[in-house]
Amino acid sequence: MTLYADLEFARTVQQVLEFVGTFAFAISGIRHAAGQKFDWFGGFVCGVAVAIGGGTIRDVMLGVTPFWMTSPVYLICTALAQVFVVAFKKYLRPLDNAWFVFDTLGLALFTIAGIQKTLALGHPFWVAVIMGCITGAAGGVIRDILLNKQPVIFQKEIYASASIGGGLLYWAMIEFGVNVGVTALATFLFICIIRFLAVRYHISLPVLTSEDNG
């Protein structure tokens, strides 16, 4: 059975998500690098790492050529993101939460792109949900390691959980026969809303504690 009625439309949606997600994640990585006073090259490397890291891990696990090796547009997107950050730094600097917004947009967009690519390769939905989470969250882990920070997804803050929740929503909507475009939009909004509400109202997962800490 064909998952989508219009496979060409699904591919177009996936490409758009990957382009916009790359730009958003690259800005997030470059902004973090700027906070650590990296030079321009360091900022670009950090932007590339967060923009393509998750998708690269996904593609290697799926046994396909990493997406950024098929077209230079993803590296160009990262370069444009760096130009954007440098050109508008005086406007971005007062926005302490700007990185959070771009990071959330990248998480949502790449989660959907990861799900769609996995499904297009014929894998079951449970694999697609996992690959969506890896696509959306692994780049942030690489970024935090480069910046010598504790990865966000290992903290109590809702991050990877929002990606998984979005994946489950995507799964449910497709099972009910909802159009892929509507499904992608709903999933995008769901992940963003979960992240924004979690941060706004300090919603978090329980923290593991050892017996020594009580």
Side-chain angles (χ1 to χ4, degrees):
M1 182 179 68
T2 302
L3 180 62
Y4 302 129
D6 188 345
L7 289 176
E8 189 60 36
F9 175 70
R11 292 191 192 96
T12 300
V13 171
Q14 179 186 334
Q15 288 178 341
V16 171
L17 290 172
E18 287 186 342
F19 294 157
V20 179
T22 297
F23 188 77
F25 256 163
I27 288 177
S28 170
I30 294 166
R31 283 275 294 162
H32 276 279
Q36 296 292 321
K37 300 191 182 302
F38 281 24
D39 62 17
W40 284 19
F41 178 74
F44 180 78
V45 170
C46 192
V48 169
V50 68
I52 70 173
T56 300
I57 295 173
R58 173 204 65 206
D59 289 347
V60 170
M61 294 180 71
L62 294 176
V64 298
T65 302
F67 70 105
W68 60 271
M69 296 177 67
T70 63
S71 171
V73 70
Y74 301 100
L75 296 179
I76 293 173
C77 278
T78 303
L80 291 176
Q82 177 135 329
V83 171
F84 176 83
V85 171
V86 171
F88 296 100
K89 60 182 179 181
K90 67 177 181 179
Y91 300 106
L92 293 175
R93 188 179 296 114
L95 304 177
D96 292 334
N97 293 324
W99 69 266
F100 164 73
V101 174
F102 287 115
D103 195 52
T104 298
L105 294 178
L107 174 67
L109 292 166
F110 268 20
T111 294
I112 299 167
I115 291 171
Q116 291 186 338
K117 185 165 190 176
T118 305
L119 293 175
L121 292 171
H123 293 279
F125 242 115
W126 66 271
V127 175
V129 172
I130 295 173
M131 289 299 140
C133 182
I134 289 174
T135 308
V141 174
I142 296 172
R143 174 201 64 209
D144 292 340
I145 290 173
L146 288 174
L147 297 175
N148 198 28
K149 293 182 176 181
Q150 184 180 45
V152 173
I153 69 169
F154 299 147
Q155 301 177 46
K156 62 182 181 178
E157 182 179 338
I158 300 294
Y159 192 82
S161 301
S163 175
I164 294 173
L168 294 175
L169 175 64
Y170 192 103
W171 186 351
M173 293 184 71
I174 290 297
E175 287 295 315
F176 280 102
V178 180
N179 175 272
V180 64
V182 175
T183 298
L185 178 60
T187 302
F188 171 79
L189 293 175
F190 179 81
I191 294 174
C192 289
I193 290 171
I194 290 297
R195 280 280 288 150
F196 292 147
L197 289 178
V199 172
R200 174 65 178 81
Y201 295 104
H202 307 288
I203 301 171
S204 62
L205 297 176
V207 177
L208 286 173
T209 57
S210 68
E211 292 181 0
D212 293 336
N213 293 332

